[in-house]
Amino acid sequence: VIGVVIGKTDVRSFPDRKNIGAERCTFNFTIRDSPTYFINVQSWGREEYIRSLSDSFRVGDCVTIENPLIQFKEAEREEKFNPITPSGYKLLLSENHSVVKTSSCYDTDSRLLSLLHLPVKNPQDYYSLGDIVANGQSLHGRVLNVLAAVMSVSE
């Protein structure tokens, strides 16, 4: 699978239930290879492997993923913390079998770069800030998708 990284989480660690005193680490990222299709990738493993993998690329880089495990995603649980994807699957990276290679998007395919700026949500599924201000009471308690732009940053 070749795509541009459009999102990435920080590395998190958890106690390893099988090896007392050891830790397992994880991080997720999302890749996109067309305007319509993108998929979440989950990585689990030893701290050294996960930190090295996470440090090897950033959002905006193109990656080639070899030998991922393809799994059904558990939509309700997984999409709380990751972008909702159009696929019913996710990719799982294994330290022993999977390989992630990075390359310049210009070297791979310059059209992948344009995918970095496309929203992952349906354009009809957003509220503007003006809508939220005008209808705040009726929207109370609902989860909303907001489309906004940063106009300035200051102290």
Side-chain angles (χ1 to χ4, degrees):
V1 177
I2 298 173
V4 61
V5 177
I6 62 170
K8 183 177 167 189
T9 66
D10 292 330
V11 173
R12 297 179 319 235
S13 61
F14 301 92
D16 189 338
R17 288 183 272 180
K18 294 179 183 175
N19 297 323
I20 305 303
E23 288 194 336
R24 285 179 47 94
C25 291
T26 185
F27 82 101
N28 299 326
F29 60 100
T30 304
I31 62 167
R32 182 177 223 161
D33 67 357
S34 75
T36 310
Y37 295 104
F38 48 97
I39 193 164
N40 292 321
V41 183
Q42 187 174 42
S43 311
W44 282 92
R46 295 176 306 111
E47 181 175 10
E48 301 81 29
Y49 166 70
I50 294 297
R51 291 205 185 277
S52 173
L53 180 60
S54 177
D55 291 344
S56 71
F57 62 89
R58 62 182 200 260
V59 172
D61 286 346
C62 288
V63 295
T64 301
I65 301 174
E66 298 176 0
N67 297 323
L69 180 63
I70 300 168
Q71 291 185 330
F72 286 106
K73 67 180 177 185
E74 300 169 40
E76 213 172 278
R77 188 172 138 240
E78 292 175 23
E79 291 182 343
K80 280 184 180 176
F81 308 106
N82 296 302
I84 297 171
T85 62
S87 171
Y89 303 95
K90 67 178 178 180
L91 302 179
L92 183 63
L93 299 182
S94 159
E95 182 173 0
N96 297 325
H97 299 99
S98 306
V99 176
V100 177
K101 298 176 184 174
T102 60
S103 60
S104 162
C105 284
Y106 291 112
D107 296 340
T108 308
D109 191 341
S110 59
R111 73 186 165 84
L112 288 175
L113 271 181
S114 65
L115 302 175
L116 191 57
H117 304 291
L118 293 177
V120 295
K121 300 293 273 177
N122 178 333
Q124 307 305 315
D125 192 23
Y126 288 108
Y127 282 84
S128 70
L129 295 177
D131 291 339
I132 294 170
V133 170
N135 303 303
Q137 284 298 87
S138 65
L139 300 173
H140 183 73
R142 292 185 53 202
V143 175
L144 304 175
N145 296 315
V146 178
L147 181 59
V150 176
M151 291 179 55
S152 68
V153 177
S154 63
E155 289 184 25

